[in-house]
Amino acid sequence: MSTAGKVIKCKAAVMWEANKPFSIEEVEVAPPKAHEVRIKMVATGICRTDDHAVTGAMVVRYPIILGHEAAGIVESVGEGVTSVKPGDKVIPLFIPQCGTCPSCLNTRGNLCSKNDIASASGLMADGTSRFTCKGKAVHNFLGNSTFTEYTVVHETAVARIDPAAPLEKVCLIGCGFSTGYGAAVQTAKVEPGSTCAVFGLGGVGLSVVMGCKVAGASRIIAVDINSDKFAKAKELGATDCVNPRDFKKPIHEVLIEMTNHGVDYSFEVIGRTETMTAALASCQCNYGVSVIVGIPPAAQKITFDPMVLFTGRTWKGSVYGGWKSRDSILKLVGDYTKKRFVLDPLRTHTLPFTKINEGFDLLRTGKSIRTVLVF
Ligand code: PAD
Ligand code: ZN
Ligand code: ZN
């Protein structure tokens, strides 16, 4: 029997307040309104950004259903939706692409102004939620929410993909892989023969390493305080691995010594202010480029000597790897199916969705790269 137009009762992992375990609850998911799409989730990765929302490092409104790195199948569509139809395999997008805002219209932009990162409303465009639990409205996360059997997103925040794509793998294109890979090939535009330093070797940082390698970097220095991450970094293209805890001097001095003058490109893929300034100081003083990929922790500020930028360095940020989300998903999934890059090394664990708390423990204890939850 078709569920279109009806409220669906299903399981979701609800976060009622910060720093608590996820609670698997029965929720009601309302039908999609005009220009919205209801998706049946098949697989979702666990990204550090979800954990930032748990700890308060990223400000969100509770109760909330987190998750933003997923793949699923369209269950039904609201009035006026033309880009996807029921049965289509899709990836929901945590950065929409409306096509009409300044960033969407500019060839260099990708952070659509309809994004919900800074505003953190947790609501659909009409100011309401499609989720309720125990009679209470539940917020969405970045217009996405994938830790649920069904979700509703705006049609500008969903992309149809090749029906042959394996959803438990390509879900990582929804965030971690594309963010890291794009930061290297698109935001920094790493040049052949250059030297790179990647701070933080989680799923996103390792994808930066892959991007630097594809771009032809001759030296890729992987930096992490957890040396267990080094084997995989080497497998994916790192030429050197450095643990800042093995040195008495600051890590930027270590990197400057290793490269004589500093790296051409550095990437902060952790989300800490001190590593953001360390990554900046590690790049060559005149033409070095440093990219912030890690989410800036809420309410923290950076103070730095402007001489660091005056000499010529470039400091920039990168959200979703600089990709225009809807336009790029089809190409990224196509490149994956053509084996232009790998995703398997990023997925270290696969768990049933209901074991979500176990998945977060693996991330917090540094044991996983990506855990994929399957429904
Ligand atoms: P992760 O937690 O899997 O990886 C972070 C890595 O950093 C781990 O291996 C840690 O051991 C390491 N680390 C922690 N502290 C230090 C330190 N002081 N020095 C060196 N290494 C350290 O996270 P992830 O790969 O899922 O995400 C990384 C960041 O990127 C995180 O802040 C996340 O929120 C952000 C992100 N940004 C975007 C975007 O669009 N910009 C998208 C997705 C994730
Ligand atoms: Zn993410
Ligand atoms: Zn836009």
Side-chain angles (χ1 to χ4, degrees), residues 241-276:
C241 292
V242 181
N243 187 332
R245 292 188 171 157
D246 293 342
F247 298 86
K248 286 216 172 66
K249 59 176 90 154
I251 184 65
H252 71 273
E253 287 181 20
V254 175
L255 293 176
I256 288 170
E257 264 173 36
M258 282 174 77
T259 54
N260 293 325
H261 50 72
V263 296
D264 298 312
Y265 304 95
S266 64
F267 301 86
E268 200 279 354
V269 205
I270 302 162
R272 301 178 65 88
T273 51
E274 63 275 21
T275 40
M276 290 174 185

Side-chain angles (χ1 to χ4, degrees), residues 301-323:
K301 301 276 180 279
I302 293 180
T303 309
F304 67 98
D305 180 352
M307 188 56 84
V308 175
L309 291 183
F310 174 75
T311 56
R313 287 182 182 89
T314 302
W315 205 5
K316 56 203 314 200
S318 178
V319 180
Y320 193 56
W323 303 107

Side-chain angles (χ1 to χ4, degrees), residues 46-50 68-69 94 141-142 174-176 179 204 295 370:
I46 295 177
C47 172
R48 180 62 73 169
T49 304
D50 299 307
H68 64 282
E69 181 180 81
F94 69 92
F141 183 48
L142 306 176
C175 180
T179 297
V204 186
I295 305 260
R370 277 298 195 258

